[in-house]
């Protein structure tokens, strides 16, 4: 894929023109019709969370594929055995460490994929991101592992969000 062809699944594809046409060409030109139009326009830019975690996994696989051809000798703080009660804390650590991959690779495709992944994950975390989880390890307390192990553990954490137990 070329850098410009990366899909951006974090944007909802709502047709604002339909709302505008409905508003202007019908009897909905009332206060209630205007509210429907404004809500429709606003919803076009809101994040869509249903499939975000699957998209995060797709981006992780893309990063894994892109780093195959390069030698990145970085170790990353990796939560390889997170308790379900610490998954938000672990996810935040993974997201912080992604920037290391982006910097070390100096690759535009990886940079764009990392940025997209961070947007997707943060929007999916928005409802639980402010939760304080007690008894969880700080990022710096985690074991440092290579990129392959980091990505494998990252996928495992994402799966904890997809299939909460």
């Amino acid at each position: 894929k070329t850098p410009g062809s990366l899909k951006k699944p974090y944007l909802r594809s709502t047709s604002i023109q339909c709302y505008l046409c409905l508003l202007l060409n019908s009897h909905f030109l009332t206060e209630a019709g205007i509210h429907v139009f404004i809500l429709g326009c606003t919803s076009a830019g809101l994040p869509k969370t249903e499939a975000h975690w699957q998209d995060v996994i797709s981006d992780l696989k893309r990063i894994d594929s892109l780093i195959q051809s390069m030698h990145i000798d970085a170790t990353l703080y990796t939560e390889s055995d997170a308790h379900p009660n610490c998954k938000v804390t672990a996810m935040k650590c993974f997201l912080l460490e992604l920037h290391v991959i982006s910097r070390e690779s100096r690759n535009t495709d990886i940079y764009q994929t990392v940025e997209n992944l961070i947007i997707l994950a943060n929007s999916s975390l928005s409802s639980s991101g402010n939760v304080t989880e007690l008894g969880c390890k700080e990022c710096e307390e985690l074991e440092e592992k290579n990129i392959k192990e980091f990505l494998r553990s990252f996928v495992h954490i994402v799966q904890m969000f997809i299939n909460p137990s």
Side-chain angles (χ1 to χ4, degrees):
K1 292 181 181 179
T2 61
S5 72
L6 286 175
K7 70 176 188 169
K8 302 293 184 197
Y10 56 86
L11 292 180
R12 183 175 287 160
S13 59
T14 304
S15 177
I16 295 175
Q17 291 87 4
C18 289
Y19 288 115
L20 184 57
C21 183
L22 182 67
L23 178 67
L24 296 176
N25 294 325
S26 71
H27 62 280
F28 285 108
L29 196 53
T30 63
E31 187 176 345
I34 292 170
H35 286 289
V36 169
F37 174 72
I38 291 170
L39 287 172
C41 290
T42 305
S43 72
L46 293 176
K48 184 178 103 183
T49 57
E50 303 88 50
H52 277 198
W53 293 119
Q54 289 298 335
D55 293 325
V56 167
I57 288 177
S58 296
D59 280 348
L60 287 169
K61 289 178 181 176
R62 178 167 166 71
I63 292 168
D64 188 39
S65 163
L66 289 168
I67 64 168
Q68 295 295 326
S69 61
M70 26 182 110
H71 178 70
I72 302 174
D73 193 28
T75 57
L76 306 157
Y77 294 118
T78 304
E79 177 60 87
S80 52
D81 191 31
H83 188 277
N85 293 340
C86 291
K87 67 183 181 183
V88 173
T89 302
M91 179 59 70
K92 289 178 180 179
C93 291
F94 278 111
L95 294 174
L96 288 172
E97 289 295 281
L98 272 179
H99 291 290
V100 174
I101 294 174
S102 187
R103 275 193 311 273
E104 292 286 322
S105 73
R106 295 184 187 97
N107 179 291
T108 305
D109 286 341
I110 290 178
Y111 174 81
Q112 290 178 338
T113 305
V114 165
E115 290 304 308
N116 190 56
L117 189 155
I118 290 170
I119 290 169
L120 291 168
N122 279 329
S123 66
S124 295
L125 276 178
S126 63
S127 61
S128 56
N130 294 330
V131 173
T132 303
E133 298 170 318
L134 301 174
C136 303
K137 292 180 183 176
E138 296 292 323
C139 299
E140 296 77 19
E141 296 176 300
L142 300 173
E143 191 175 342
E144 291 186 53
K145 297 194 176 184
N146 67 35
I147 291 177
K148 288 294 225 185
E149 286 296 316
F150 172 83
L151 293 172
R152 193 171 306 132
S153 294
F154 199 155
V155 168
H156 177 71
I157 293 294
V158 172
Q159 288 169 340
M160 291 173 79
F161 283 92
I162 294 172
N163 304 311
S165 53

